[in-house]
Amino acid sequence: MGAGAGKPQTFYIETFGCQMNAHDSEKVAGQLLAQGYHPAASSAEADLVLLNTCAIRDKAEQKVYSRLGHFKADALAGRKKIGVLGCMAQLEGEKIFERVPYVNLVCGSASYRKLPALLVRLQDGQRATGLTYDDEAFETEFTRRASPFRAYLTIIEGCDKRCAYCIVPFTRGPERSRTSDSILAEARGLVAGGYTEIQLLGQNVNSYRDPSPRRMGFAELLGAVGRIPGIRRVRFTTSHPRDFSREIVEAIDSHPALCNHVHLPVQSGSTSVLRRMAREYTREEYLEKIALIRSARRAISITTDIIVGFPGETEADFEETLTLLDAVQYDGAFSFMFSPRPNTAALALDPQVPEEEKGRRLKVLQARQREIQLARNETLVGREFEVLVESHNPKQAQWVGRTTTNKVVNFTTPTAELGSYARVRVRRAGPNSLVGERVQ
Ligand code: 5AD
Ligand code: SF4
């Protein structure tokens, strides 16, 4: 089916949330192109605007509602069609039509397979809804990747954990792994197409279970991707500490293409908070995983996610999160104030930590982590690293590269090529990035 008899329709996708969403947008864009739609340069110019949404915290949802308001006049005048995709669509479903009547399409993150049919309904002037879970992981031959050198590749969808704060099991459904054959075929195709960096994605990436008779484990899969001739960098995100094994560290040690970086969300440093979060590990068990990573032959950087102000978190619990920061020495941490989400177990827990107190704890935590990052980055001054050149900042006459440890280096050089690898020497360090110059 084409996009309709008249002039070709144009689309624009705005993406909120995580890398899974960024990659879903690439898959959706590919499907739209295959249906005869054309990309628009901005949402203002597009006939069809799709918001690919996140529902992880209340703030993320509010952002989407305010963004939708922006398109109201055009939508009501019939100049644009508006679709809500992703996690908020899956969560709120048809309620979105009630709250924002000028929305034409609501399609959850587990229903993109149905998009071609939904688009036909849209063209016929009807509302379209896709909210069921497909029982397989969503694969499409039409993915339209945003970068020509770094590629996302989904290996597992959904999540079977039941962390008490988390909406993801409700928005992305149960765990579904792709077969190792289809993953490796896609990875080989990417390398043949010029990609040198592949980022393996899953809400819970190390719960990967090959559904094919080969029964490849996650660490084995990492090795198999890392051995593809021509691949330079393999990353994976996000790992759950409970399923993080010695085999993963050994795979990193023995495959040069596997990057020196692990993102291992801890959420809290207090065992009693972790228990109420249903995280399935204690502070001590988490620290054992960290020790495994630190015992590698390679210097692997570690980053994390932290929630402050989970219901019942005492000042003493929070102190334990601060001492955990000191103990682990993270290279980066994303930290958030707890946000109560519909359907989750944490809704029934009390007492709630007051908003101002959550804000205070967040500030204290971020200040502490900032000092740690600055101190760690300062030890890199004078050293040389290989970076993948990811972007150019002409205003500052700087190029932006990334180390295998996932650190951003802003560097100077007369010329460079995006997507190439360069050697840089670090001259200055900040808490969030490094500054350097190209060598040779
Ligand atoms: N409130 C605050 N932060 C949350 N996260 C997940 N759910 C919530 C919530 N309800 C954080 C966790 C997770 C990251 C992606 O978002 O730290 O690892
Ligand atoms: Fe947001 Fe989680 Fe959905 Fe990603 S999976 S878009 S973080 S709710």
Side-chain angles (χ1 to χ4, degrees):
M1 260 314 275
K7 107 183 192 319
Q9 300 273 316
T10 59
F11 72 96
Y12 192 84
I13 307 177
E14 290 185 10
T15 306
F16 302 78
C18 63
Q19 287 135 317
M20 300 284 283
N21 256 23
H23 187 35
D24 282 346
S25 289
E26 296 178 334
K27 298 184 198 176
V28 169
Q31 283 199 318
L32 286 164
L33 292 169
Q35 296 289 306
Y37 284 78
H38 292 272
S42 68
S43 52
E45 293 162 40
D47 304 316
L48 173 63
V49 174
L50 299 171
L51 303 190
N52 190 5
T53 62
C54 174
I56 196 93
R57 283 167 289 274
D58 185 58
K59 238 198 225 158
E61 284 206 43
Q62 297 319 318
K63 236 201 286 189
V64 171
Y65 279 119
S66 99
R67 191 63 189 143
L68 281 170
H70 187 84
F71 301 112
K72 182 175 182 177
D74 276 346
L76 289 176
R79 286 189 292 268
K80 267 190 202 325
K81 292 203 158 113
I82 310 293
V84 179
L85 310 180
C87 290
M88 198 181 116
Q90 194 71 47
L91 184 72
E92 307 261 321
E94 311 224 340
K95 271 191 267 170
I96 293 177
F97 292 132
E98 282 163 35
R99 182 154 169 194
V100 191
Y102 50 88
V103 166
N104 309 93
L105 165 75
V106 172
C107 181
S109 39
S111 297
Y112 294 142
R113 214 181 283 284
K114 301 190 185 71
L115 265 181
L118 298 177
L119 292 170
V120 171
R121 285 180 63 94
L122 215 61
Q123 290 298 332
D124 291 345
Q126 299 173 30
R127 269 183 178 170
T129 323
L131 294 169
T132 53
Y133 292 114
D134 287 317
D135 48 7
E136 285 169 73
F138 174 54
E139 296 181 38
T140 165
E141 60 201 283
F142 298 120
T143 306
R144 210 307 172 102
R145 289 190 162 81
S147 160
F149 48 87
R150 335 166 49 185
Y152 293 127
L153 198 172
T154 309
I155 67 165
I156 173 170
E157 302 251 19
C159 182
D160 284 348
K161 297 269 191 291
R162 283 291 177 276
C163 302
Y165 50 81
C166 189
I167 194 122
V168 170
F170 305 98
T171 64
R172 287 193 173 265
E175 277 177 9
R176 289 100 64 205
S177 291
R178 290 174 61 185
T179 64
S180 51
D181 280 345
S182 99
I183 293 166
L184 291 170
E186 184 170 355
R188 280 188 219 103
L190 287 167
V191 175
Y195 286 92
T196 60
E197 176 171 318
I198 293 181
Q199 185 157 353
L200 303 176
L201 294 183
Q203 223 59 55
N204 213 339
V205 76
N206 52 341
S207 302
Y208 174 78
R209 255 165 227 244
D210 185 1
S212 79
R214 289 174 75 170
R215 295 272 172 262
M216 208 180 252
F218 175 64
E220 227 185 311
L221 179 73
L222 276 182
V225 177
R227 284 192 299 273
I228 295 174
I231 190 104
R232 296 279 292 264
R233 287 186 170 186
V234 181
R235 301 184 183 278
F236 55 96
T237 198
T238 291
S239 302
H240 191 291
R242 167 72 191 251
D243 302 323
F244 194 88
S245 65
R246 178 183 300 277
E247 288 74 28
I248 298 174
V249 177
E250 286 168 358
I252 296 177
D253 257 342
S254 44
H255 294 86
L258 301 189
C259 285
N260 293 2
H261 174 221
V262 172
H263 184 63
L264 201 63
V266 65
Q267 312 301 357
S268 167
S270 150
T271 295
S272 87
V273 172
L274 289 170
R275 190 179 312 121
R276 275 175 300 118
M277 286 178 164
R279 286 292 284 176
E280 302 180 13
Y281 54 85
T282 62
R283 173 190 176 99
E284 289 69 31
E285 285 163 345
Y286 181 86
L287 287 171
E288 283 167 22
K289 306 283 175 165
I290 296 297
L292 268 182
I293 300 172
R294 295 283 184 228
S295 73
R297 285 189 295 278
R298 290 159 64 176
I300 297 173
S301 77
I302 306 174
T303 56
T304 200
D305 293 345
I306 294 169
I307 296 175
V308 298
F310 187 77
E313 183 188 72
T314 62
E315 189 59 37
D317 290 322
F318 175 62
E319 274 297 320
E320 289 204 71
T321 299
L322 295 178
T323 59
L324 184 97
L325 295 185
D326 296 337
V328 177
Q329 296 283 306
Y330 291 110
D331 286 284
F334 300 101
S335 46
F336 313 97
M337 296 198 277
F338 169 71
S339 165
R341 305 307 292 135
N343 306 328
T344 60
L347 280 183
L349 298 177
D350 44 38
Q352 292 292 324
V353 176
E355 285 304 302
E356 316 83 68
E357 179 58 15
K358 285 187 209 170
R360 187 194 68 83
R361 291 182 190 176
L362 189 70
K363 270 208 193 117
V364 170
L365 180 131
Q366 290 178 342
R368 176 82 66 103
Q369 179 54 29
R370 200 183 148 85
E371 279 172 33
I372 293 172
Q373 279 172 219
L374 183 60
R376 286 183 72 76
N377 285 345
E378 277 172 348
T379 67
L380 306 177
V381 171
R383 290 183 50 193
E384 274 183 33
F385 296 96
E386 181 186 72
V387 296
L388 170 58
V389 183
E390 293 184 351
S391 60
H392 183 209
N393 186 346
K395 259 198 220 135
Q396 319 237 314
Q398 272 178 336
W399 295 77
V400 186
R402 195 178 292 268
T403 63
T404 172
T405 52
N406 211 34
K407 293 191 187 269
V408 169
V409 189
N410 299 294
F411 66 99
T412 50
T413 176
T415 174
E417 198 183 324
L418 293 181
S420 69
Y421 291 80
R423 284 200 74 74
V424 297
R425 180 174 293 116
V426 176
R427 285 296 178 204
R428 273 185 294 127
N432 297 311
S433 63
L434 306 165
V435 178
E437 75 221 354
R438 190 171 188 170
V439 290
Q440 281 162 11

